[in-house]
């Protein structure tokens, strides 16, 4: 899903899919709702992607129940700065800490030129959930931890 797409129809598909997943998450009593950022470096100018994404997430989260925590997971992101700026802007607009980070360790190893330590320091307390898996630092293999 690409919630920050320039194409409004793609945004609408993302919104519908995320809303359907949210409704199901409520039914099963989920406490955490994790979605990928949809950011693919070098496909959009950084500011354009952040602005589109902020609008999408503010709209999507504005009427959501606070009993569920929402996390955006890094996938193809080269560094944490896009995610941290997005989270900060959305939370500032909504005036509550509704959107945090799910730091995916394996995605950092396979898709980022930055160190894991840099990601952890850079995202800081924005990290509220972590995915642990291993890979060969080339492909996102999702191997178990060794």
């Amino acid at each position: 899903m690409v919630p920050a797409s320039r194409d409004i129809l793609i945004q609408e598909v993302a919104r519908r899919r995320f809303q359907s997943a949210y409704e199901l998450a409520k039914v099963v009593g989920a406490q955490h709702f994790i979605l990928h950022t949809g950011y693919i470096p070098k496909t959009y100018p950084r500011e354009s992607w952040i602005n589109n994404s902020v609008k999408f997430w503010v709209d999507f989260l504005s009427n959501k129940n606070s009993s569920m925590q929402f996390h955006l997971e890094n996938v193809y992101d080269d560094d944490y700065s896009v995610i941290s700026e997005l989270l900060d802007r959305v939370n500032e607009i909504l005036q509550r800490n509704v959107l945090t980070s799910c730091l995916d360790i394996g995605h950092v190893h396979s898709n980022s030129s930055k160190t894991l330590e840099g990601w952890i320091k850079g995202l800081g307390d924005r990290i509220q959930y972590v995915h642990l898996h291993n890979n060969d630092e080339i492909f996102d293999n999702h191997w178990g931890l060794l």
Side-chain angles (χ1 to χ4, degrees):
M1 298 284 114
V2 185
S5 175
R6 293 178 207 124
D7 186 327
I8 282 190
L9 295 176
I10 298 298
Q11 286 182 21
E12 185 55 34
V13 168
R15 187 176 336 284
R16 287 182 183 184
R17 294 290 187 225
F18 292 172
Q19 185 63 37
S20 294
Y22 172 71
E23 296 300 329
L24 180 59
K26 286 192 317 187
V27 168
V28 300
Q31 296 176 349
H32 300 273
F33 193 78
I34 302 166
L35 296 159
H36 293 164
T37 62
Y39 182 63
I40 302 172
K42 299 181 183 179
T43 60
Y44 281 83
R46 182 182 194 279
E47 278 308 307
S48 173
W49 185 88
I50 291 173
N51 289 335
N52 288 351
S53 198
V54 166
K55 288 176 192 171
F56 179 91
W57 290 113
V58 165
D59 179 59
F60 181 77
L61 295 169
S62 63
N63 65 351
K64 298 300 185 272
N65 188 322
S66 62
S67 66
M68 195 178 304
Q69 295 179 17
F70 294 88
H71 314 285
L72 287 184
E73 178 182 330
N74 58 297
V75 182
Y76 299 111
D77 312 74
D78 183 54
D79 70 60
Y80 64 86
S81 67
V82 170
I83 296 172
S84 63
E85 183 175 341
L86 171 60
L87 299 177
D88 291 349
R89 287 178 56 187
V90 168
N91 290 329
E92 181 180 334
I93 291 167
L94 293 175
Q95 297 182 339
R96 57 189 172 112
N97 195 30
V98 65
L99 191 60
T100 63
S101 174
C102 169
L103 178 62
D104 189 302
I105 305 298
H107 291 162
V108 169
H109 284 297
S110 62
N111 298 320
S112 178
S113 63
K114 310 302 185 235
T115 66
L116 178 57
E117 180 181 1
W119 274 81
I120 292 169
K121 287 180 179 177
L123 287 173
D125 62 2
R126 295 178 193 91
I127 301 169
Q128 296 294 309
Y129 207 89
V130 175
H131 282 169
L132 297 172
H133 62 94
N134 204 354
N135 57 51
D136 61 5
E137 297 187 21
I138 298 170
F139 295 106
D140 184 23
N141 308 97
H142 281 257
W143 296 337
L145 299 178
L146 301 175

